[in-house]
C-alpha cells in the first residue's frame, strides 16, 4: 500500500479523527467543541465552537515563533521593474496598521470590505487586515468592468472599499479610479470609506469627502490586534461566475479554511515553513486567495506575488528567472501560462539559461490540461509536473498528486486521485454511480471537507438549487468526467454554460445577457470555442431582428465593445458573427449543449428533437471555422 493509499484509507475510515488531527496545526484561541456537526448549516459545519484568528495564524504566530526576519512576501513586478521583500515582522506591522485604519473608519467583525486591486502587496495586506478584524473581504479581479464591480458591491454591501489608482497590463495602464467611481455610482449601496493606493504610473484625483490615501491612512493608524472569531464566521466572499449574469458569492469560513489550507501545504505540495512557494495567478481568483496569500503564510513559507505575465514581460523566460532569483521550490500556475511559454520558446532556450536546481515541482490547475503541455514541461524541467483539479467553491484541490504522501505515477490527461477529504464519484442522471471508465457527472459525497463553501453569501436556497439538488446526498461539481480502474479522475468538460478562458471562469449566460440587450439582436448564443492557447474563447452568434439594415460587421463590433464595457477585458470576447438562424428543438429551445460540443471539437449526436438539421450544419460550420 502506498503512503497515499494508506492516508486516503485512514481518512475514509475516520474522517473526523483525521481532520481533528489536521486541526492541531492551527493555533486556536478556543479549541473546537466538535470536529463536525451535521446538524448545523445546510449540510453541516466544521470545527464549531472553535475560536481563532486567521491573520494571527498567517502572520503574528510566525513572528512570535522567531520567523520575524524571514521574507513573508516577495513582490516581483516586471511591470514596474521592481522587487520588494516584506518580512513577517514588517508584514505584521503593516497589516495591523491597515486593520487599525479600517477599524477607525467603522469596519468591524462581520462587516464586508471590497478589495479591487492589481498584483501589489497592498492587496494581500488589505485581505489580511480584514481577517485580523474579523471583517469579510471580497476581492474583485481587476479585469472586470465597472458593472461587474457594481454587482459585487451591491450584493456584498461593503462598509469600505480598498482600491488603487491603476493597474499595469502590457502596453496599457488600467485606470481603476474611473471604473471604481462608475461602479459606486451604479450600485444602490455606497461604501462609507474608500482607501486608494496611489501608484506612480498613474496617480488619481481623490474624491473629496469619500476617498483617502491608503498609505497615509496606514501610517497614521494605530496597530490593531487580532480579533478572535468563531470558526464558522466568514473569512471572505469570492464571487464567481454562475449560469446567469448574477455572480455567486462563494463563502469561506475561518476555521475549516485555516485547517485545510495549512494541511494542504505539506500534504499536496510538500513544502514546509521557510520554503519559497509561488502561485503565478492573481489575488482576484481563488488560486490567489488560497495559494498566494493564505496557505503559504499559514504554513510560514515565503510567498511570491508576481505582477507580470508568462510572456512579454519581458520574455518567455520570466517564470524561470523568478524561480531562480527567489529560490522557488514549488511553482503553481495555469496550463494556459505554460502553453503561452511553450508557444514562444518551444525548445526551452530561455529555461536553459536559468538555474532551476531549487525548483522541485510544477503544479497546474484552473482548466483541463492537455497532455502535451504536461509532457513538454516534464521533459524540459526534468521535475514532476502535477495536474490537480479544484474549484473556487472548494478552495483547495479535489484531486491531484501529493508530494507530501509520495507521488504516484502521473497520467497526462488525468487530474490525479482524490485528496483525502473528498469522496469523488461519477453519477448518471438517476443518481447512480456509473461503471469505472464511463463518463458522467462528477460529484462529491457530502459532507464536503473543511474549506469548501458552507453556503452562498445570503443565498442558502441558491446554494441548494445549484449544488445539492441534482444529486441528493452529493455536491455537484458541474464538471463531467470519469474515474478509471485505478482511481485516476479525468475532468473532461463543464456540464453548465461556464467556459474557461485562459484559466478564467466565465459565464456564457452573462455574455448572452449583454448581447441580447443590443437593439438589433433578436436572439443569440455564446459558446466557448476551442483555442490552442487559452483553452476556450467565447464566440457570439447573433440573429438580427428583421428589417435591420445596419452592416453586420458594425453590429458585431458593437456587441464586442458592449461585452468589454459591461463584463470587462477578461472576458476576451473578440468575435461575434451574424447568423441567419440558431439551431433549435421543435419546442423552440436553442441547442446550446450540442453547439458546445461542436465548438469543443467533441463528438456529438444530432438530437432527435431537432427542428431543422440544416441550421445545425450551417452554424456548426461557423463554429468549426472559428477554432484555433
Ligand atoms: N486587469 C485589467 N485587465 C486585465 C487583467 C487585469 N488584472 N488581466 C487581464 N486583463 C486583460 C488583458 O490585458 C487583456 O486585455 P486586451 O484584450 O486589451 O489584450 C484581456 O484582459 C484578456 O486577458 P488574458 O486572457 O489574460 O489574455 P492575454 O492575451 O493578455 O494573455 C496569457 C494570455 C495566457 C498570457 C494569460 O492569460 C495568462 O497569463 N494566463 C494565466 C491565467 C491565470 O493565471 N489564471 C488564474 C487561474 S490559476
Ligand atoms: P475556478 O472556480 O475558476 O477555479 O474554475 C473551476 C473550474 O475549472 C472547474 O470546475 C473545472 O471546470 C476547471 N478546472 C480547474 N482545474 C482543472 C483541472 N485540473 N482539470 C480540468 N478542469 C479543471
Amino acid at each position: 500500500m502506498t503512503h497515499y493509499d494508506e492516508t486516503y484509507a485512514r481518512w475514509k475510515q475516520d474522517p473526523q479523527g483525521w481532520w481533528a488531527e489536521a486541526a492541531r496545526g492551527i493555533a486556536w484561541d478556543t479549541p473546537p467543541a466538535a470536529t463536525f456537526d451535521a446538524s448545523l448549516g445546510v449540510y453541516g459545519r466544521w470545527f464549531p465552537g472553535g475560536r481563532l484568528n486567521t491573520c494571527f495564524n498567517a502572520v503574528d504566530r510566525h513572528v512570535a515563533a522567531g520567523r520575524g526576519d524571514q521574507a513573508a512576501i516577495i513582490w516581483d513586478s516586471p511591470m514596474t521593474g521592481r522587487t520588494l521583500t516584506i518580512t513577517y515582522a514588517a508584514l505584521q506591522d503593516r497589516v495591523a496598521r491597515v486593520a487599525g485604519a479600517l477599524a477607525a473608519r467603522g469596519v468591524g467583525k462581520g462587516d464586508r470590505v471590497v478589495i479591487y486591486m492589481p498584483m501589489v502587496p497592498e492587496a494581500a495586506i488589505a485581505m489580511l487586515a480584514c481577517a485580523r478584524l474579523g471583517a469579510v473581504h471580497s476581492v474583485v479581479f481587476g479585469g472586470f468592468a465597472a458593472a461587474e464591480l457594481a454587482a459585487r458591491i451591491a450584493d456584498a454591501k461593503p462598509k469600505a472599499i480598498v482600491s488603487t489608482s491603476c493597474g499595469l497590463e502590457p502596453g496599457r495602464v488600467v485606470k481603476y479610479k474611473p471604473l471604481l467611481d462608475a461602479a459606486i455610482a451604479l450600485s444602490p449601496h455606497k461604501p462609507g470609506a474608500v482607501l486608494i493606493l496611489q501608484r506612480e504610473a498613474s496617480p488619481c484625483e481623490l474624491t473629496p469627502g469619500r476617498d483617502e490615501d491608503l498609505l497615509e491612512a496606514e501610517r497614521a493608524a494605530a496597530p490593531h490586534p487580532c480579533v478572535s472569531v468563531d470558526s464558522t464566521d466568514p473569512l471572505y466572499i469570492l464571487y464567481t461566475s454562475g449560469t446567469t449574469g448574477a455572480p455567486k458569492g462563494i463563502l469561506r469560513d475561518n476555521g475549516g479554511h485555516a485547517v485545510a489550507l495549512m494541511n494542504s501545504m505539506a500534504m499536496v505540495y510538500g513544502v514546509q515553513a521557510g520554503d519559497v512557494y509561488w502561485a503565478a495567478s492573481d489575488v482576484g481568483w481563488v488560486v490567489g486567495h488560497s495559494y498566494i496569500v493564505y496557505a503559504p503564510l499559514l504554513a510560514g513559507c515565503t510567498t511570491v506575488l508576481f505582477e507580470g505575465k508568462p510572456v512579454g514581460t519581458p520574455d518567455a523566460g520570466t517564470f524561470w528567472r523568478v524561480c531562480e532569483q527567489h529560490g522557488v521550490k514549488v511553482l503553481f500556475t495555469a496550463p494556459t501560462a505554460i502553453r503561452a511559454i511553450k508557444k514562444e520558446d518551444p525548445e526551452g532556450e530561455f529555461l536553459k539559461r536559468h538555474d532551476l536546481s531549487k525548483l522541485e515541482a510544477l503544479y497546474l490547475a484552473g482548466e483541463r490540461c492537455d497532455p502535451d503541455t504536461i509532457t513538454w514541461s516534464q521533459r524540459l524541467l526534468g521535475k514532476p509536473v502535477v495536474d490537480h483539479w479544484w474549484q473556487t467553491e472548494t478552495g483547495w484541490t479535489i484531486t491531484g498528486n501529493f508530494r507530501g504522501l509520495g507521488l504516484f505515477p502521473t497520467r497526462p490527461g488525468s487530474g490525479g486521485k482524490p485528496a483525502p477529504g473528498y469522496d469523488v464519484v461519477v453519477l448518471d442522471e438517476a443518481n447512480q454511480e456509473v461503471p469505472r471508465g464511463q463518463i458522467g457527472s462528477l460529484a462529491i459525497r457530502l459532507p464536503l471537507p473543511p474549506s469548501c463553501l458552507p453556503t452562498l453569501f445570503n443565498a442558502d436556497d441558491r446554494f441548494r438549487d445549484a449544488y445539492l439538488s441534482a444529486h441528493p446526498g452529493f455536491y455537484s461539481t458541474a464538471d463531467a468526467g470519469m474515474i478509471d480502474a485505478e482511481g485516476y479522475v479525468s475532468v473532461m468538460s463543464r456540464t453548465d454554460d461556464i467556459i474557461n478562458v485562459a484559466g478564467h471562469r466565465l459565464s456564457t449566460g452573462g455574455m448572452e445577457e449583454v448581447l441580447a440587450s443590443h437593439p438589433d439582436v433578436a436572439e443569440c448564443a455564446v459558446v466557448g470555442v476551442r483555442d490552442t492557447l487559452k483553452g476556450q474563447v467565447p464566440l457570439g452568434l447573433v440573429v438580427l431582428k428583421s428589417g435591420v439594415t445596419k452592416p453586420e460587421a458594425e453590429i458585431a463590433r458593437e456587441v464586442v465593445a458592449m461585452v468589454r464595457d459591461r463584463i470587462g477585458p477578461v472576458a476576451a470576447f473578440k468575435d461575434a458573427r451574424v447568423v441567419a438562424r440558431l439551431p433549435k428543438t421543435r419546442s423552440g429551445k436553442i441547442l446550446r449543449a450540442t453547439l458546445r460540443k461542436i465548438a469543443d471539437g467533441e463528438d456529438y449526436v444530432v438530437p432527435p428533437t431537432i427542428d431543422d438539421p440544416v441550421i445545425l450544419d450551417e452554424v456548426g460550420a461557423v463554429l468549426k471555422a472559428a477554432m484555433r
Side-chain angles (χ1 to χ4, degrees):
M1 216 186 206
T2 64
H3 190 185
Y4 164 78
D5 289 331
E6 181 271 321
T7 309
Y8 191 82
R10 205 154 42 80
W11 162 75
K12 206 158 184 189
Q13 205 184 4
D14 178 16
Q16 294 204 25
W18 198 88
W19 282 114
E21 202 179 306
R24 291 199 195 105
I26 290 303
W28 299 91
D29 301 332
T30 308
T35 301
F36 183 73
D37 186 339
S39 70
L40 300 175
V42 179
Y43 66 85
R45 298 299 297 259
W46 288 96
F47 309 113
R51 292 185 69 82
L52 77 161
N53 182 279
T54 296
C55 178
F56 177 82
N57 275 275
V59 183
D60 301 55
R61 149 160 105 139
H62 303 307
V63 178
R67 292 193 176 275
D69 293 336
Q70 182 196 309
I73 297 177
I74 297 174
W75 179 53
D76 186 306
S77 168
M79 297 308 303
T80 59
R82 291 183 58 199
T83 59
L84 176 74
T85 297
I86 303 175
T87 63
Y88 270 101
L91 183 63
Q92 183 183 31
D93 182 56
R94 292 200 63 187
V95 169
R97 283 178 196 282
V98 172
L102 288 169
R105 284 151 186 85
V107 176
K109 183 172 167 287
D111 291 331
R112 273 82 58 209
V113 175
V114 162
I115 300 173
Y116 183 51
M117 291 205 124
M119 288 292 286
V120 289
E122 286 75 12
I125 289 169
M127 291 164 76
L128 292 162
C130 291
R132 194 172 189 87
L133 293 173
V136 181
H137 61 72
S138 186
V139 182
V140 180
F141 179 63
F144 282 121
E148 290 287 321
L149 177 58
R152 287 152 173 80
I153 294 173
D155 196 65
K157 300 189 176 54
K159 267 245 169 94
I161 297 183
V162 183
S163 188
T164 180
S165 58
C166 72
L168 302 169
E169 283 293 293
R172 85 193 152 98
V173 172
V174 182
K175 296 198 172 177
Y176 274 50
K177 187 56 185 357
L179 296 169
L180 179 66
D181 289 345
I184 294 175
L186 279 171
S187 164
H189 172 87
K190 314 289 176 197
V194 176
L195 294 175
I196 301 276
L197 173 74
Q198 293 282 19
R199 300 193 75 191
E200 260 171 41
S202 179
C204 63
E205 290 259 323
L206 299 182
T207 304
R210 190 195 70 187
D211 299 350
E212 291 172 87
D213 184 293
L214 172 66
L215 296 183
E216 277 174 20
E218 179 188 329
R219 272 192 293 273
H224 201 290
C226 294
V227 175
S228 195
V229 300
D230 278 343
S231 179
T232 50
D233 279 337
L235 172 68
Y236 69 75
I237 303 163
L238 178 57
Y239 289 92
T240 188
S241 300
T243 46
T244 66
K248 296 193 277 202
I250 305 297
L251 207 61
R252 193 83 65 213
D253 61 10
N254 275 275
H257 173 258
V259 171
L261 265 64
M262 172 81 189
N263 180 68
S264 74
M265 288 304 281
M267 182 177 82
V268 182
Y269 304 101
V271 293
Q272 312 294 336
D275 288 340
V276 183
Y277 182 91
W278 178 24
S281 175
D282 189 287
V283 285
W285 306 114
V286 67
V287 174
H289 280 63
S290 293
Y291 291 104
I292 295 173
V293 182
Y294 286 111
L297 296 180
L298 284 165
C301 296
T302 298
T303 183
V304 179
L305 200 138
F306 173 73
E307 188 183 34
K309 301 273 174 179
V311 293
T313 59
D315 54 41
T318 303
F319 271 28
W320 318 128
R321 191 270 301 159
V322 172
C323 287
E324 177 182 11
Q325 190 170 330
H326 306 303
V328 171
K329 188 165 173 181
V330 170
L331 166 62
F332 175 177
T333 192
T336 192
I338 301 297
R339 285 197 297 270
I341 294 171
K342 181 171 79 154
K343 193 170 162 203
E344 294 217 350
D345 185 23
E347 296 310 317
E349 296 305 329
F350 281 107
L351 187 150
K352 287 175 205 152
R353 289 178 212 158
H354 295 281
D355 173 5
L356 297 179
S357 52
K358 293 216 172 115
L359 183 69
E360 295 185 4
L362 168 66
Y363 275 70
L364 300 172
E367 55 176 324
R368 180 172 161 74
C369 188
D370 52 297
D372 195 42
T373 297
I374 300 257
T375 45
W376 180 84
S377 32
Q378 258 166 353
R379 179 170 61 80
L380 287 180
L381 285 169
K383 329 237 176 208
V385 177
V386 173
D387 181 9
H388 60 329
W389 167 52
W390 48 299
Q391 306 183 314
T392 305
E393 286 82 348
T394 65
W396 66 291
T397 194
I398 306 168
T399 67
N401 203 338
F402 308 89
R403 289 186 73 232
L405 304 179
L407 291 176
F408 44 77
T410 52
R411 291 216 179 137
S414 153
K417 297 186 184 182
Y422 294 91
D423 187 352
V424 181
V425 294
V426 183
L427 301 176
D428 63 18
E429 278 170 15
N431 215 28
Q432 298 300 309
E433 282 191 46
V434 307
R436 290 280 170 117
Q438 265 186 33
I439 291 187
S441 299
L442 284 162
I444 300 164
R445 196 183 304 277
L446 292 173
L448 291 167
S451 157
C452 293
L453 77 172
T455 187
L456 293 171
F457 178 61
N458 280 349
D460 276 353
D461 286 346
R462 190 174 179 196
F463 175 60
R464 285 193 186 88
D465 283 355
Y467 298 101
L468 308 183
S469 63
H471 300 291
F474 297 88
Y475 162 88
S476 303
T477 65
D479 280 314
M482 62 172 176
I483 306 180
D484 75 9
E486 281 144 280
Y488 286 83
V489 178
S490 293
V491 183
M492 312 305 289
S493 59
R494 291 285 299 197
T495 56
D496 54 13
D497 69 356
I498 298 291
I499 56 171
N500 203 311
V501 181
H504 306 140
R505 172 170 163 178
L506 298 163
S507 158
T508 54
M511 293 186 222
E512 286 174 5
E513 283 173 22
V514 177
L515 264 51
S517 70
H518 188 286
D520 296 332
V521 171
E523 55 183 0
C524 63
V526 174
V527 277
V529 177
R530 195 173 63 189
D531 181 271
T532 47
L533 176 63
K534 297 193 175 187
Q536 287 180 305
V537 287
L539 172 72
L541 301 168
V542 294
V543 178
L544 301 184
K545 289 180 181 160
S546 58
V548 171
T549 52
K550 204 186 255 182
E552 290 181 0
E554 200 176 321
I555 293 171
R557 266 198 306 277
E558 284 171 4
V559 295
V560 165
M562 282 167 72
V563 173
R564 192 175 173 96
D565 184 51
R566 296 219 206 136
I567 297 180
V570 65
F573 184 86
K574 305 219 158 146
D575 198 356
R577 318 252 172 131
V578 174
V579 292
R581 299 163 297 182
L582 286 169
K584 292 187 179 169
T585 61
R586 281 190 286 278
S587 60
K589 276 177 129 177
I590 298 174
L591 290 166
R592 289 172 206 279
T594 315
L595 290 178
R596 274 205 298 271
K597 285 202 161 113
I598 301 175
D600 250 346
E602 286 178 34
D603 294 336
Y604 66 98
V605 279
V606 178
T609 52
I610 194 164
D611 182 35
D612 182 351
V614 174
I615 306 178
L616 187 62
D617 290 345
E618 284 169 13
V619 175
V622 174
L623 294 175
K624 284 181 189 147
M627 284 183 196
R628 277 170 291 181

